[in-house]
Amino acid sequence: MPNTPLIDLSFDGHMHTRWCHHATGTMEEYVLSAIDKRLNHIVFLEHMEATGVNYFETTWLTDQDFDDYFAEGQKLQKKYGNQLTIGLGVEVGYSVTQHQELRDRLSRRCWDQIGVSYHFMPVPDQEYDLNLVSRQERNVRAIAETGCEKVLDNYFSSLIEAVHVLPGTVLCHLDAALRFQPGLQLTRNHWQQIEELLDTVKAKNMALEINTSGFAVRGTPFPAPAIIQMAISRGIPLVAGSDAHRAVDVGRHFQQLPELLGQFSTLK
Ligand SMILES: [Zn+2]
Ligand SMILES: [Zn+2]
């Protein structure tokens, strides 16, 4: 697969396994899929959330799970190390009220990558925290009831805080929040927040994830090309991530990135 100068297409920096209860397949199945697709570097980015998340199902790992995840991952690094590089990372979902807990838990392990996201937003008047990236009808309805513009204001401001506060290495799926709300429009204020967010990513020497799961949802990655262009003009490194929740999805849609990024590669 040809590489553009802007991104390494032999590297998938974002995948989940059955450890998180909403993905399927063992870590080894993802490794074998990556080898099959001739990738030479992958990073597992399993879900960590603060203990206070109020939600009707558990879609993240406990600290005990993370112990087991590291043990399994290290076995696979030995077994397949001559075929590809396997990184063990985490996708940490931000919590405005419990960021110290997240920082403490992150500091106890040696992660190859720390992806920063914001998935669960507590709001008054709803039984559960809003799941900002869910396609489930009850979640989509709860967000609409709270108000999309307000939720997005809060999403971007919390994400800016997360990038400041957490020891992240890559910002995940920047504009994926509310992706299942029909007709969603970003306001001028949201675009200003995105500018500030990217400035913060740059200041923290983090990378921006080009999350190719977006191709299946809306025909472009997360984030949208206009935001990718803003990142490139700031000199922010880009990392491809499939966000695979099935082994077969490792490296999915990567072949669409050269054409998409080709339009930016000559920009200064
Ligand atoms: Zn997930
Ligand atoms: Zn995520």
Side-chain angles (χ1 to χ4, degrees):
M1 202 181 283
N3 280 357
T4 74
L6 290 169
I7 202 158
D8 178 1
L9 297 176
S10 69
F11 173 38
D12 187 339
H14 190 160
M15 55 191 67
H16 300 274
T17 69
R18 64 184 184 184
W19 285 117
C20 70
H21 316 290
H22 64 280
T24 56
T26 63
M27 294 174 78
E28 187 159 18
E29 286 166 349
Y30 285 73
V31 170
L32 292 171
S33 177
I35 292 170
D36 188 48
K37 294 178 180 190
R38 305 189 189 285
L39 299 183
N40 59 36
H41 188 182
I42 58 172
V43 176
F44 291 98
L45 218 58
E46 296 283 11
H47 290 289
M48 175 187 286
E49 296 288 340
T51 51
V53 168
N54 171 30
Y55 197 54
F56 50 84
E57 57 188 356
T58 302
T59 58
W60 52 85
L61 284 71
T62 63
D63 281 338
Q64 173 65 53
D65 293 334
F66 275 114
D67 288 343
D68 298 339
Y69 159 69
F70 269 88
E72 175 70 15
Q74 283 156 3
K75 259 190 254 170
L76 295 172
Q77 286 170 335
K78 286 202 188 80
K79 186 169 174 185
Y80 295 101
N82 60 347
Q83 296 181 71
L84 81 175
T85 304
I86 301 171
L88 301 174
V90 60
E91 179 182 8
V92 55
Y94 192 57
S95 164
V96 173
T97 53
Q98 288 171 285
H99 53 79
Q100 190 56 50
E101 175 208 309
L102 293 171
R103 285 161 54 94
D104 290 345
R105 289 167 64 197
L106 290 170
S107 72
R108 276 186 233 124
R109 299 180 200 269
C110 194
W111 309 96
D112 290 314
Q113 293 284 347
I114 298 178
V116 173
S117 300
Y118 185 33
H119 295 130
F120 292 101
M121 181 184 293
V123 286
D125 309 323
Q126 289 289 340
E127 187 179 1
Y128 299 109
D129 295 352
L130 301 180
N131 182 339
L132 304 174
V133 293
S134 169
R135 70 178 76 217
Q136 285 187 51
E137 173 59 28
R138 65 191 294 178
N139 293 318
V140 172
R141 191 172 354 108
I143 290 167
E145 284 169 8
T146 308
C148 291
E149 184 178 342
K150 195 169 83 178
V151 171
L152 268 190
D153 287 347
N154 185 334
Y155 169 75
F156 286 123
S157 63
S158 300
L159 209 45
I160 292 165
E161 184 182 297
V163 170
H164 275 292
V165 165
L166 297 176
T169 60
V170 57
L171 178 63
C172 296
H173 54 65
L174 183 153
D175 67 349
L178 279 56
R179 57 193 163 178
F180 297 108
Q181 295 292 334
L184 186 74
Q185 293 288 334
L186 299 183
T187 65
R188 180 189 291 262
N189 181 50
H190 296 144
W191 283 104
Q192 285 170 352
Q193 289 179 301
I194 291 168
E195 299 265 4
E196 184 182 348
L197 180 54
L198 291 174
D199 288 341
T200 313
V201 166
K202 174 69 178 172
K204 296 274 285 191
N205 285 319
M206 286 169 65
L208 179 72
E209 174 186 83
I210 307 303
N211 187 306
T212 55
S213 74
F215 280 109
V217 176
R218 64 178 192 195
T220 67
F222 303 122
I227 298 173
I228 298 174
Q229 184 166 16
M230 289 157 67
I232 291 170
S233 69
R234 284 167 170 76
I236 295 172
L238 307 179
V239 176
S242 66
D243 212 344
H245 283 66
R246 304 179 303 173
V248 68
D249 286 337
V250 172
R252 68 176 157 171
H253 301 294
F254 280 19
Q255 72 281 4
Q256 289 170 255
L257 290 177
E259 190 188 342
L260 182 92
L261 295 176
Q263 60 186 306
F264 303 131
S265 57
T266 54
L267 295 176
K268 292 275 181 316

